[in-house]
Amino acid sequence: GQNIDQPTEMTATEGAIVQINCTYQTSGFNGLFWYQQHAGEAPTFLSYNVLDGLEEKGRFSSFLSRSKGYSYLLLKELQMKDSASYLCAVRDLDNFNKFYFGSGTKLNVKP
Amino acid sequence: EAQVTQNPRYLITVTGKKLTVTCSQNMNHEYMSWYRQDPGLGLRQIYYSMNVEVTDKGDVPEGYKVSRKEKRNFPLILESPSPNQTSLYFCASSFSVTRTDTQYFGPGTRLTVL
């Protein structure tokens, strides 16, 4: 099974940088995903990490440490439209078809 | 436009009345999956399908059935809905389940079982 933890809610200021953490305890690991979900909408893909290190995509970066069971999503130059929930998900090692999601972190960006 | 569609978007029903939520994708994706999303619990996988006629259980399959007769469609069936199946349901698809494939989610179906 999988146990994935994320903070429930965070608040940050427009223009700032925010880091959203995700820790996981899994029986096997085969990749970690971050999704963004605006209220009332479907999740949309942000990033994918399978090896240790930092993946950068514009204002968003994601980091993974497999030995620590830890990932973070870094959002730079925050904009009001970044107010959303951010979901961390891991794929099962033994079964590529199974995915486990954290409960999500609701990010509030204030002016 | 490449998309995943779900119908209905909203449904209120009563306990025991069979219902089907449809899911269709126009991207020729092999992999499709159903999730439910509940406050504080996040997305939980119900069933998935690797291709036509190939389906398997996710984390919370009890009370649900699925079928995959055509590549584009993956309906979710609740034979006898109960109030604990009140939830927000998402269908998702991806080209295949490789290491780098991401899932594309439908708009969601909000189900209330009275």
Side-chain angles (χ1 to χ4, degrees):
Chain A
Q2 315 285 347
N3 186 19
I4 301 169
D5 289 316
Q6 305 178 233
T8 304
E9 192 164 356
M10 300 178 70
T11 300
T13 305
E14 193 176 15
I17 299 173
V18 71
Q19 177 175 311
I20 301 174
N21 296 327
C22 171
T23 59
Y24 60 90
Q25 295 158 359
T26 71
S27 55
F29 170 88
N30 194 7
L32 187 141
F33 297 79
W34 282 97
Y35 285 83
Q36 180 190 59
Q37 185 178 24
H38 285 100
E41 297 183 10
T44 55
F45 171 77
L46 287 178
S47 69
Y48 171 75
N49 296 72
V50 67
L51 299 176
D52 291 352
L54 189 68
E55 294 278 344
E56 296 187 77
K57 267 190 181 182
R59 293 189 300 114
F60 291 16
S61 304
S62 58
F63 172 83
L64 175 66
S65 169
R66 289 173 295 170
S67 62
K68 296 181 179 176
Y70 167 69
S71 172
Y72 67 72
L73 181 69
L74 195 69
L75 292 77
K76 302 174 189 173
E77 300 168 17
L78 278 174
Q79 303 175 8
M80 297 299 292
K81 67 178 182 180
D82 297 329
S83 291
S85 288
Y86 292 86
L87 315 179
C88 170
V90 300
R91 177 159 53 193
D92 194 88
L93 175 65
D94 296 323
N95 186 342
F96 274 37
N97 300 295
K98 296 187 89 166
F99 294 84
Y100 301 92
F101 283 77
S103 55
T105 298
K106 185 180 179 186
L107 176 64
N108 303 302
V109 180
K110 59 181 185 178
Chain B
E1 180 191 353
Q3 60 183 349
V4 179
T5 56
Q6 295 178 226
N7 282 292
R9 295 289 313 280
Y10 303 89
L11 179 60
I12 300 174
T13 189
V14 295
T15 299
K17 186 176 180 182
K18 181 179 177 179
L19 67 93
T20 299
V21 184
T22 65
C23 173
S24 184
Q25 49 90 8
N26 62 0
M27 297 171 278
N28 200 35
H29 283 173
E30 292 181 347
Y31 179 86
M32 298 185 76
S33 185
W34 275 103
Y35 296 88
R36 59 178 291 174
Q37 187 172 37
D38 302 288
L41 296 177
L43 283 161
R44 292 180 293 166
Q45 195 171 25
I46 303 171
Y47 268 95
Y48 59 86
S49 169
M50 294 79 81
N51 215 322
V52 175
E53 301 291 4
V54 184
T55 64
D56 206 348
K57 297 176 182 178
D59 229 21
V60 288
E62 295 78 20
Y64 304 95
K65 284 174 57 177
V66 292
S67 69
R68 187 94 181 270
K69 295 188 172 66
E70 307 164 281
K71 200 171 188 179
R72 63 182 295 130
N73 296 322
F74 189 44
L76 180 70
I77 303 154
L78 285 73
E79 294 268 2
S80 182
S82 62
N84 64 13
Q85 291 178 298
T86 292
S87 187
L88 178 59
Y89 290 87
F90 286 101
C91 179
S93 73
S94 66
F95 182 73
S96 66
V97 191
T98 66
R99 289 177 177 265
T100 58
D101 260 352
T102 183
Q103 295 182 76
Y104 296 86
F105 285 80
T109 295
R110 188 166 291 282
L111 172 66
T112 301
V113 183
L114 301 174

